[in-house]
Structure formats: C-alpha cells, structure tokens
C-alpha cells in the first residue's frame, strides 16, 4: 500500500508548516466533497469497473501478437503522458520497441522514422477529441507513408478516440479501422486507466489487470470519509493549506530515475486541472538524487514558496553493492558494506532533514515497489486528490479553456494565411 508521511510539516515553524489540527475534519466534510465530485459527472473512478473493455484489449493484443516489430503511439498531452509514464516506469529503458510521438518536432519524427520498418509497424493513434491538429498531422504523415508502400491502413493503424465524435471516429467507422472508445466523461489527463493507457500498455506486455486492481485499492481509500486514512484527501488538504501560506509551487521529486516521467504526467494533471480563475499551483519536476546537485540549492535557500513532495521507492528491483576500492582513504572511508539502495535512501534522508531544518515544508509519498499494481494505485491517488483539490479551490478541475483557446487561434492563423 502507498503511504503518505507528512510529519515534517509539523516540524517546520508555524509560518511555513502546518498544525496537526488541520486533519481534525469530520467525516461529513469529506462526504460533502465526495458529493460535489460525484455531481460533476466525471467517469475517471467509474471506468475501473469496465472489465469488458479490458477483455477487448486482451483479445486485440492476442490477434496482433508477434505481427509487428515496432509500435508508434501518435498523440499529445493527456493522450500520451500516461503511456510514456508506464513505459518508462515499468519497462526496460534501453530495450523496447515502442516509440511515443508526443510532439510535432520534425527532427524527432524523422529520427523515429529512421529506426522503424514501416511494413512491420503498428501505429496507435490516440485522441479524445479525434481532432487535435498535432495528432492528426502525425497520423496523416505516417498514413501517407504506409499507403505509399501499398500497405493497407487497417493493417497498420488502431485508434483510441471518442465513442461518437471527431474525425478519427468518422474514419474508423467509414474506413474500417479498428478502434477503442474513450468514455465521453473522461478527459485526457484523467484517462490513463482507459484504453488510452491500457491498450498500448497491454501491447508492450504490461499486466493491465494489476494496474486496475491497484487503482481500485486507491478508490476504496478515496471513498473513505475518515480524514485520518484518506490519502487523496490528505494530499489535497496539504496542498490547499500550503497554498494559503504562499506555497504556490509544488516540487515533485521522486528518488528514482524510472519515475522521472511520472512527474510530467502529474505536472499536466495539476496544472491543467487547477490553473484557472486566477488560481493555480505551479508544478515543478525534479528527481533525486540528481537534482540535489542542481535544484536543491534553490529549495534550500531560495524563496520559501514551495511544497516539496518527495517520492520514495521502498524497494528497488535490484540491489547493487558499492565496492569500496579505497576503504582506508578519508574521502570514502564511510562507504562500508553498503549498496546504491542504501546510499539513495540516506541521501534522501539528508536532503529532507536539511530542508526541514530550514523550515522548508516537505512531505513524502512512499511506494512499496515499482509494479503495475502500485503504479495503478499511485495514478488513482493523484487523480482523486486533484478531484478533492478542485472542490477545495472551487474550480472545475475537468475543463481546460486556456488550452482550447490556443487551439482555436492556431486554426485562425492558418485560415488567415489562405
Ligand atoms: O488533458 C487534456 O484534456 C489535454 O491535455 C488533451 O489530452 C490534449 O489536448 C490532447 O487532446 P486530444 O486527446 O483530444 O487529442
């Protein structure tokens, strides 16, 4: 089970820390927030019961098994951040056959094209709206390449899109391209546990049932109105109270290279959900121990306007010893019978202790391990904490009017050009 350690908040001085009393909240208050969340009609917590879609994904994965050497995901934003996180966290960084195009950078696109064999590639096109210009442009580009080789689009493309609306849905219906549905009431940044994340995850060999199982565990906790146990509520409450004390930045800092992308997924979730009506928390991505040698100076001695959210991995898959080749030398004589695991752990302890002593508020989310189950649990804890946070700030966490406006303006610039 994932746990949240917020003891350091009580150790920093009253100006920058919190009092234990903030958690003395009656169950009725949390129930009220849950009712408000329910009234938004969002599906991110209901989709976990959709076992039929998981079966369809499994069936599809069986039909394409062994058919393709490469997979390329086409999409952007909430459509690709989830699968990028799953791929980076749970698969071998340097041995994989999936490329995720989360941008329209022509150099990057060409580099992907250089290493794939189009004849042996499956393109997974993901877009909730089915009309995002970046995703459609990527799709048009690769579809033309496929057709130039006299290959059939339906043998090389699969779509994940809205059940009824948008160009991709239209193409799927009229041109017979296999497709999966994103439930109408689930937005991009809340969609990792729908086919948006689950289809590509299954195709790269991940245990999608375990991801959902972990998420369900977190959902039980989300429904629990007891302030002393509901982690999603506790996290939201801390972020909200810290904001009142001028902590407008949240640094997410996993002590794990594999979780680096997780912070990007969370950055979108936090920024796009809460950043509206003049309110918002600015997400910052960092990772330990690397950023101890980069950003930590600022966290320690810069403006005290940050809440630092450490993520601790309690068990790495690998235990690696550090052989001390110079045990008598003063520079390294303390490195005795140790491992990289222990060094990582002690460095994190040193960093959080020094920050706490400088009255820099920080908390730690502890993950037992990096598995599908704990990642599913983690995704859901953060999605549901954003749902609570939206209600605390009284903003609609599920729209993104600013993003929409920029999309419309790009279209207008093209129209003016014509
Ligand atoms: O979270 C969101 O809603 C956005 O970031 C979208 O995911 C992003 O704009 C891509 O949109 P779409 O999935 O419709 O292509």
């Amino acid at each position: 089970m994932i746990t949240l350690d917020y003891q350091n908040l009580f150790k920093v001085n009253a100006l920058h820390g919190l009092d234990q009393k903030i958690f003395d909240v009656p169950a009725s208050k949390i129930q009220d927030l849950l009712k408000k969340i329910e009234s938004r009609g969002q599906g991110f917590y209901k989709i976990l019961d959709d076992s039929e879609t998981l079966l369809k994904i499994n069936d599809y994965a069986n039909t394409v098994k062994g058919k393709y050497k490469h997979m390329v995901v086409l999409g952007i934003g909430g459509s690709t951040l989830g699968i990028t996180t799953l791929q980076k966290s749970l698969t071998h960084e340097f041995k994989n056959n999936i490329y995720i195009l989360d941008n329209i950078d022509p150099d990057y696109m060409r580099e992907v094209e250089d290493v794939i064999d189009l004849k042996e590639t499956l393109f997974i096109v993901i877009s909730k709206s089915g009309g995002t210009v970046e995703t459609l442009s990527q799709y048009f580009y690769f579809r033309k390449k496929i057709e130039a080789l006299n290959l059939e689009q339906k043998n090389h493309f699969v779509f994940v899109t809205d059940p009824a609306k948008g160009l991709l849905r239209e193409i799927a219906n009229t041109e017979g391209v296999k497709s999966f549905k994103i439930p109408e009431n689930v937005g991009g940044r809340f969609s990792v546990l729908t086919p948006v994340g689950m289809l590509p995850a299954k195709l790269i060999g991940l245990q999608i049932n375990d991801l959902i199982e972990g998420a369900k565990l977190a959902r039980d906790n989300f429904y629990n109105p007891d302030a002393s146990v509901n982690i999603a509520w506790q996290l939201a409450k801390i972020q909200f109270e810290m904001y009142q004390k001028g902590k407008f930045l949240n640094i997410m800092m996993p002590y794990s290279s594999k979780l680096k992308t997780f912070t990007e997924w969370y950055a979108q979730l936090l920024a796009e959900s809460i950043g509206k009506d003049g309110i918002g928390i600015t997400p910052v991505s960092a990772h330990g121990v690397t950023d101890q040698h980069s950003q930590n100076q600022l966290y320690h001695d810069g403006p005290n306007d940050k809440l630092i959210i450490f993520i601790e991995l309690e068990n790495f898959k690998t235990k690696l010893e550090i052989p001390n080749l110079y045990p008598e030398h003063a520079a390294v004589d303390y490195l005795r019978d140790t491992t990289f695991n222990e060094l990582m752990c002690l460095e994190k302890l040193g960093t959080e202790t020094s920050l706490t002593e400088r009255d820099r508020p920080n908390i730690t989310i502890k993950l037992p391990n990096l598995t599908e189950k704990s990642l599913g649990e983690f995704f859901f804890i953060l999605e549901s904490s954003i749902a609570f946070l939206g209600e605390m700030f009284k903003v609609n966490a599920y729209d993104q009017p600013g993003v929409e406006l920029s999309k419309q303006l790009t279209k207008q610039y093209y129209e003016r050009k014509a």
Side-chain angles (χ1 to χ4, degrees):
M1 280 279 279
I2 293 175
T3 54
L4 173 64
D5 179 352
Y6 44 75
Q7 292 307 314
N8 288 342
L9 295 178
F10 309 139
K11 295 181 191 157
V12 304
N13 69 24
L15 187 63
H16 299 292
L18 293 178
D19 192 287
Q20 308 238 17
K21 281 201 283 249
I22 64 144
F23 294 119
D24 292 345
V25 168
S28 59
K29 286 251 184 254
I30 297 181
Q31 270 154 351
D32 283 349
L33 291 174
L34 285 166
K35 274 190 210 134
K36 282 185 185 150
I37 294 170
E38 178 70 29
S39 73
R40 302 256 181 205
Q42 293 298 309
F44 75 92
Y45 50 99
K46 299 195 176 132
I47 46 163
L48 307 184
D49 301 316
D50 181 6
S51 48
E52 203 183 307
T53 298
L54 287 194
L55 286 176
K56 284 186 188 155
I57 292 175
N58 282 323
D59 286 350
Y60 176 75
N62 286 334
T63 64
V64 297
K65 200 168 181 184
K67 262 175 90 178
Y68 302 98
K69 210 155 124 196
H70 306 287
M71 277 174 286
V72 180
V73 175
L74 308 181
I76 199 158
S79 290
T80 49
L81 281 160
I83 182 57
T84 308
T85 304
L86 285 166
Q87 184 229 339
K88 298 276 182 196
S89 309
L90 297 175
T91 70
H92 196 296
E93 172 89 26
F94 307 109
K95 292 184 196 167
N96 63 68
N97 61 350
I98 186 165
Y99 302 92
I100 302 171
L101 280 190
D102 60 351
N103 204 350
I104 44 169
D105 177 332
D107 292 339
Y108 190 78
M109 287 182 65
R110 176 53 54 80
E111 283 179 13
V112 169
E113 203 183 333
D114 283 348
V115 292
I116 58 172
D117 179 350
L118 287 164
K119 291 193 226 65
E120 296 191 84
T121 299
L122 176 67
F123 292 91
I124 308 159
V125 190
I126 309 178
S127 172
K128 172 70 195 291
S129 61
T132 302
V133 66
E134 293 88 345
T135 310
L136 288 179
S137 313
Q138 296 163 347
Y139 162 61
F140 294 162
Y141 180 81
F142 283 108
R143 177 170 160 188
K144 193 159 179 222
K145 293 272 167 185
I146 286 290
E147 289 178 343
L149 294 171
N150 288 323
L151 299 169
E152 277 197 73
Q153 123 152 286
K154 64 177 192 280
N155 293 332
H156 290 272
F157 287 87
V158 55
F159 297 164
V160 182
T161 191
D162 189 89
K165 294 187 290 240
L167 181 57
L168 283 181
R169 174 55 56 203
E170 208 178 304
I171 298 171
N173 292 345
T174 54
E175 301 182 31
V177 180
K178 174 78 187 166
S179 66
F180 288 85
K181 296 173 188 161
I182 309 173
E184 195 266 316
N185 60 353
V186 181
R189 56 192 177 275
F190 289 88
S191 69
V192 59
L193 299 167
T194 72
V196 169
M198 295 300 99
L199 175 69
K202 177 70 195 174
L203 295 176
I204 56 172
L206 298 181
Q207 303 299 324
I208 57 175
N209 292 333
D210 290 357
L211 277 156
I212 299 296
E213 198 191 317
K216 280 185 175 169
L217 203 69
R219 183 175 64 177
D220 292 342
N221 187 261
F222 163 63
Y223 287 151
N224 191 335
D226 181 344
S228 68
V229 296
N230 190 321
I231 293 188
W233 175 82
Q234 289 171 352
L235 179 60
K237 179 77 174 159
I238 291 166
Q239 291 171 297
F240 181 73
E241 295 295 336
M242 283 280 108
Y243 187 83
Q244 313 309 319
K245 294 194 167 200
K247 313 304 171 212
F248 302 135
L249 283 84
N250 280 188
I251 319 295
M252 182 173 263
M253 187 165 178
Y255 272 67
S256 154
S257 299
K258 306 286 291 176
L259 283 170
K260 244 165 105 173
T261 339
F262 193 95
T263 66
E264 289 170 26
W265 172 83
Y266 183 64
Q268 186 208 20
L269 185 68
L270 178 61
E272 228 174 61
S273 304
I274 306 299
K276 41 200 74 153
D277 304 339
I279 290 169
I281 296 176
T282 302
V284 178
S285 295
H287 80 290
V289 303
T290 312
D291 282 305
Q292 286 179 196
H293 299 266
S294 163
Q295 302 185 33
N296 192 37
Q297 170 60 36
L298 170 74
Y299 304 160
H300 202 264
D301 292 335
N304 199 342
D305 55 358
K306 302 165 194 70
L307 167 68
I308 296 150
I309 305 173
F310 290 116
I311 299 170
E312 193 175 302
L313 192 53
E314 292 176 309
N315 295 290
F316 288 83
K317 285 193 191 105
T318 316
K319 193 166 180 182
L320 271 193
E321 278 179 27
I322 306 176
N324 191 342
L325 305 184
Y326 296 90
E328 310 302 330
H329 197 293
V332 285
D333 61 358
Y334 59 91
L335 281 183
R336 266 182 242 112
D337 300 325
T338 191
T339 57
F340 285 95
N341 311 56
E342 188 181 36
L343 181 58
M344 187 82 131
C345 189
L346 295 180
E347 290 205 31
K348 190 248 168 188
L349 182 63
T351 305
E352 72 168 282
T353 307
S354 72
L355 287 167
T356 306
E357 282 171 7
R358 287 283 289 169
D359 293 314
R360 307 295 158 137
N362 64 86
I363 56 175
T364 296
I365 299 173
K366 296 186 181 179
L367 253 73
N369 47 33
L370 259 193
T371 58
E372 282 89 340
K373 195 171 167 196
S374 49
L375 260 228
E377 187 186 352
F378 200 17
F379 278 129
F380 194 87
I381 288 176
L382 294 179
E383 286 178 358
S384 51
S385 76
I386 290 293
F388 277 126
L389 197 56
E391 301 312 328
M392 291 174 189
F393 277 119
K394 298 188 174 47
V395 297
N396 176 2
Y398 311 97
D399 64 358
Q400 53 284 324
V403 177
E404 297 307 331
L405 181 62
S406 110
K407 286 182 185 176
Q408 284 162 20
L409 287 174
T410 306
K411 208 171 154 203
Q412 278 175 28
Y413 299 143
Y414 265 111
E415 279 159 4
R416 262 184 234 161
K417 199 182 108 180

